[in-house]
Amino acid sequence: MPTSDSEDDTPSSSNQTEGTKILLADPKTAILRLSLPMMVAMTLMTLYNVVDAFWVSGLGADALAAVGFSFPLFIITIGLASGLGTGGEAALSRMIGARDRAGASSVAMHTILLMTVLAVAVTVPLFLFAGDLFVLMGAGDAVGLATEYARILFMGTFALLFGEVAYALMHGEGDAKRTMYAMAAGAVANIILDPVLIYTLDMGIAGAAWATILAEVIAAVPMVYWLFVKRDTYISLCFREFSPDPAVVRNVLQVGLPAAAEQLALALMALALNGVIILISSTDAVAVYSVGWRVVSIGLTPILAISSAVVAVTGATYGARAYSKMESALRFAARLGLGIGLGLAAATFIFAPRIAAIFTASGDAAGIVPELTTYLQVMSLVYPMVGFGLFSASFFQGTGLGARSLTITVLQNVVLSILLAWVFAIDLGLGLSGVWWGVAAGNAIGAVLGYAWARRYSAGLIVRQAAAAAV
């Protein structure tokens, strides 16, 4: 950690921005001030995903299934970007906590360049082999529509990846408001473009994909302006002064790679669940899972926003070696997530039939209403517990222990969720509803175990720091 008392290293320095001052202040206040704007932005982004499903539902169950089969591949793409962004955000916030502005700027530059390499590596194979992948996934009659939808999405990979990384970097330095503006701009654009391209211009499912790409570009424009033109951020991005540093790359990737692997684990869960669903039901049931998860994402949005704030606040407090503040932030986030989760669970459970009817109101998708209602009601029961796992994973990311975050995610979504979905659905003969119960139970159990692990780690840091101070 830096030990100098130079101007750049003091909290009162003129180089500090409003965002960095938030990160270095009271951790509870920091979580609220960082998470509230993200709640607004992520709610809008989640809403446009749901609106997308609503408009696609008018094209029929095959179109919904096509989006559902594309979902795992899309998770892989966005997951790699999100993982890299999380690695950059965590490393950046630790540098801010250590009062190292030059180090923070170096982290940001390395993260953006890594993103560029990733964009090329991901786009080409997914575009070329999308059709073959959908055949292997058992998409059946939905292969053609799924391929059409996915290939258009992959054409916009660079804008998607840049947006994810830029969001994370600006959020990592505490600039949540402008991040919200950019994300909101993209979300609103997508909501407007969806019906125009799908129906007015009669582009069908291709219109939904093009709406997503255009929205990503619209969201990226202000980020480019703030980071590279206006240059009023804490981090300074200048390619002429950039010097590659393997140590910085490792610092980013020690969280970024496990975070990306977490998203791949979610994709694996989606693929495995699709397989179980097809085994016991039909592609219509895949449509239930696709639409249902999008609706559930609205409920998870506030909790996900808090978890994003936990990464930045944990990183800053860890970088400053303020371990008591770090633990206080985790406990506050857990209480906040529990309260929000209880309220959302009650609302979702009560209104599940109406919500299901809204998103299957047209075309031949109306037949999935009963099963979609069941899905929403079962999954709503896990809302109060989800935060404990997400915040614990974010906590470990902030401290640079990405492997532990990955362990929590894999335990919840791959090991426990898939195992219990199989047991409930097939071994216990509960059928499709057993899949939903298995996923809910796996997430709840994994969340509790992850939170206990995080609390034990933070307590250990505090004890060791106190012992060192006493010597």
Side-chain angles (χ1 to χ4, degrees), residues 48-102:
Y48 91 62
N49 280 326
V50 176
V51 169
D52 184 67
F54 171 77
W55 290 116
V56 171
S57 70
L59 301 174
D62 281 346
L64 276 176
V67 174
F69 280 107
S70 302
F71 187 53
L73 297 182
F74 190 61
I75 287 180
I76 291 173
T77 305
I78 199 170
L80 291 171
S82 177
L84 181 59
T86 299
E89 178 181 0
L92 173 62
S93 61
R94 289 197 298 274
M95 291 294 179
I96 291 172
R99 314 296 197 265
D100 185 354
R101 189 177 190 183

Side-chain angles (χ1 to χ4, degrees), residues 140-221:
D141 294 337
V143 167
L145 287 174
T147 302
E148 179 183 10
Y149 179 78
R151 280 183 169 165
I152 295 172
L153 280 182
F154 297 145
M155 291 173 62
T157 300
F158 185 84
L160 173 68
L161 289 166
F162 175 80
E164 289 293 323
V165 169
Y167 295 152
L169 292 176
M170 293 192 69
H171 193 259
E173 68 165 62
D175 195 345
K177 287 184 179 180
R178 290 196 296 186
T179 303
M180 174 188 69
Y181 298 148
M183 294 173 72
V188 172
N190 201 318
I191 291 171
I192 295 172
L193 289 170
D194 257 337
V196 173
L197 298 183
I198 295 173
Y199 295 105
T200 304
L201 299 182
D202 198 26
M203 295 174 66
I205 198 170
W210 279 112
T212 299
I213 288 180
L214 293 173
E216 293 292 346
V217 172
I218 290 171
V221 169

Side-chain angles (χ1 to χ4, degrees), residues 408-419:
I408 294 173
T409 300
V410 170
L411 178 66
Q412 283 184 279
N413 296 289
V414 178
V415 178
L416 293 174
S417 292
I418 295 175
L419 174 63

Side-chain angles (χ1 to χ4, degrees), residues 98-454:
R99 314 296 197 265
D100 185 354
R101 189 177 190 183
S105 297
S106 180
V107 165
M109 282 297 303
H110 280 82
T111 304
I112 289 176
L113 291 175
L114 286 170
M115 176 276 300
T116 303
V117 174
L118 178 63
V120 176
V122 168
T123 302
V124 176
L126 287 180
F127 182 87
L128 292 177
F129 301 109
D132 296 329
L133 289 172
F134 290 128
V135 171
L136 292 175
M137 291 164 61
D141 294 337
V143 167
L145 287 174
T147 302
E148 179 183 10
Y149 179 78
R151 280 183 169 165
I152 295 172
L153 280 182
F154 297 145
M155 291 173 62
T157 300
F158 185 84
L160 173 68
L161 289 166
F162 175 80
E164 289 293 323
V165 169
Y167 295 152
L169 292 176
M170 293 192 69
H171 193 259
E173 68 165 62
D175 195 345
K177 287 184 179 180
R178 290 196 296 186
T179 303
M180 174 188 69
Y181 298 148
M183 294 173 72
V188 172
N190 201 318
I191 291 171
I192 295 172
L193 289 170
D194 257 337
V196 173
L197 298 183
I198 295 173
Y199 295 105
T200 304
L201 299 182
D202 198 26
M203 295 174 66
I205 198 170
W210 279 112
T212 299
I213 288 180
L214 293 173
E216 293 292 346
V217 172
I218 290 171
V221 169
M223 307 295 287
V224 171
Y225 174 72
W226 292 325
L227 290 170
F228 295 100
V229 181
K230 192 175 183 182
R231 297 169 61 86
D232 61 346
T233 54
Y234 180 78
I235 54 177
S236 177
L237 301 178
C238 181
F239 289 98
R240 287 176 299 180
E241 300 175 2
F242 174 70
S243 177
D245 187 344
V248 177
V249 173
R250 287 193 300 271
N251 200 19
V252 172
L253 295 184
Q254 72 179 357
V255 170
L257 288 178
E262 289 179 36
Q263 300 301 317
L264 294 178
L266 295 176
L268 176 61
M269 180 190 73
L271 287 169
L273 289 178
N274 280 346
V276 174
I277 290 168
I278 291 173
L279 182 64
I280 63 176
S281 188
S282 64
T283 55
D284 281 358
V286 175
V288 171
Y289 178 49
S290 173
V291 177
W293 179 248
R294 288 171 181 253
V295 177
V296 166
S297 296
I298 292 180
L300 293 178
T301 296
I303 297 172
L304 288 170
I306 297 171
S307 73
S308 179
V310 170
V311 175
V313 175
T314 297
T317 51
Y318 183 81
R321 297 183 179 178
Y323 302 138
S324 294
K325 285 186 175 182
M326 185 178 70
E327 183 182 46
S328 175
L330 176 62
R331 288 189 283 108
F332 177 72
R335 293 194 301 270
L336 187 61
L338 176 61
I340 292 173
L342 287 170
L344 290 170
T348 302
F349 191 91
I350 293 170
F351 295 107
R354 296 183 182 180
I355 296 171
I358 290 173
F359 292 100
T360 54
S362 55
D364 60 354
I368 68 174
V369 169
E371 193 58 49
L372 181 56
T373 299
T374 300
Y375 175 90
L376 295 175
Q377 289 181 331
V378 171
M379 293 305 297
S380 70
L381 300 178
V382 79
Y383 285 172
M385 304 304 300
V386 166
F388 290 92
L390 288 173
F391 303 153
S392 301
S394 296
F395 173 87
F396 282 126
Q397 288 172 341
T399 59
L401 298 173
R404 296 194 182 191
S405 175
L406 174 61
T407 300
I408 294 173
T409 300
V410 170
L411 178 66
Q412 283 184 279
N413 296 289
V414 178
V415 178
L416 293 174
S417 292
I418 295 175
L419 174 63
L420 292 177
W422 180 275
V423 170
F424 288 5
I426 297 177
D427 292 345
L428 298 181
L430 297 179
L432 196 56
S433 63
V435 176
W436 318 144
W437 281 109
V439 173
N443 272 275
I445 295 171
V448 172
L449 294 175
Y451 183 69
W453 194 11

